[in-house]
Amino acid sequence: MKLHWSPRSPFVRKVNIVLEECGLTETVERVRSVAVFAAAPNPDILQDNPLGKIPVLITDDGLKLFDSRVICDYLITLTRRDDLLPASPALRIRHLRWQALGDGLTDILLLWRIERARKEQADPIILAALETKTRAALATLDEESVELAQTPFGLGHIAVACAIGQLDFRYADCGWRRALPDLAAWYGEVATRPSMVSTSIIDDDKASSDTMDNIPAFIYDTSK
């Protein structure tokens, strides 16, 4: 199999975690593929995904799969890892809901960064809306942290953990752990899982990151 990937992509990380959990890491050829939202689409990615986004997985029989949800479902089905996405309707919908919440939060964080990068041209209404949604999503996850901890590890946990990993990567000083201690405790435990440790986000384009240094990040006020 072949995977279009980037070491900074949270959605690629999600696929990599599933590959690790399913024992398929060594079966995949990784192709470093750059996908930038505000730039011309990468023709190498377009060849395999008309949406021009990563991750993209090309299976051994030539099937081109996108996005991360479809790829993860394929890998779990391929290896019959029903524990990662259970057949039981109640458990399955729980994991799919957490996947939707985790993926949605990741999308919001990516869009927020893109808007913030516009600096003086950034729309304050859009910025405020994205911050409100981020806080709401994290508050929901904090409320459900006990349920997350009591539910056997699966795809929902992976998606949520990748979203929080992206939060740490881009907004490291926001103080979410002090504000949301129950979620922090759950994440601190799941982050030690070998598949999580081995797929940690790596910033291989420091020059790009430096452009954001002078833009204030959101902060949790924990003084009250």
Side-chain angles (χ1 to χ4, degrees):
M1 295 186 285
K2 182 174 80 172
L3 178 69
H4 286 282
W5 82 297
S6 163
R8 292 183 294 155
S9 166
F11 290 114
V12 167
R13 185 188 186 195
K14 183 180 159 193
V15 170
N16 279 332
I17 291 171
V18 173
L19 284 167
E20 288 275 358
E21 293 288 338
C22 292
L24 293 173
T25 299
E26 300 303 321
T27 71
V28 176
E29 172 194 356
R30 285 171 172 76
V31 178
R32 178 69 171 90
S33 302
V34 178
V36 180
F37 179 81
N42 184 331
D44 293 332
I45 299 175
L46 278 177
Q47 181 177 329
D48 293 322
N49 179 2
L51 301 177
K53 300 167 67 176
I54 56 173
V56 188
L57 182 74
I58 298 89
T59 68
D60 289 336
D61 57 3
L63 185 62
K64 300 171 181 178
L65 300 178
F66 45 87
D67 57 10
S68 68
R69 287 167 292 188
V70 175
I71 296 171
C72 290
D73 194 303
Y74 170 80
L75 296 172
I76 290 169
T77 301
L78 181 68
T79 54
R80 300 180 181 178
R81 284 294 304 272
D82 294 342
D83 56 318
L84 296 177
L85 190 56
S88 163
L91 274 177
R92 185 179 184 87
I93 200 65
R94 187 181 302 176
H95 277 287
L96 291 177
R97 176 181 171 276
W98 280 329
Q99 178 178 224
L101 184 54
D103 286 357
L105 175 56
T106 299
D107 275 330
I108 287 169
L109 292 171
L110 293 172
L111 290 171
W112 196 2
R113 177 175 168 77
I114 290 168
E115 188 63 25
R116 288 176 64 238
R118 297 178 64 226
K119 300 185 179 181
E120 292 80 7
Q121 286 74 46
D123 188 322
I125 295 177
I126 293 176
L127 291 176
L130 293 172
E131 180 172 345
T132 297
K133 292 175 182 179
T134 297
R135 292 179 184 273
L138 290 170
T140 296
L141 290 169
D142 190 56
E143 292 169 2
E144 297 180 8
S145 58
V146 172
E147 187 179 2
L148 280 163
Q150 293 176 346
T151 302
F153 183 83
L155 185 57
H157 299 85
I158 293 170
V160 170
C162 286
I164 296 175
Q166 181 69 8
L167 180 69
D168 278 344
F169 179 47
R170 295 302 189 190
Y171 301 88
D173 299 324
C174 73
W176 73 268
R177 284 175 172 80
R178 294 189 302 275
L180 306 169
D182 292 336
L183 181 60
W186 171 79
Y187 181 69
E189 179 67 26
V190 79
T192 64
R193 196 174 180 92
S195 62
M196 295 291 299
V197 174
S198 66
T199 60
S200 296
I201 292 289
I202 298 172
D203 189 356
D204 66 340
D205 187 3
K206 190 63 169 62
S208 173
S209 299
D210 287 343
T211 64
M212 303 292 290
D213 285 349
N214 297 321
I215 305 174
F218 84 115
I219 299 293
Y220 275 96
D221 182 3
T222 57
S223 61
K224 299 179 181 179

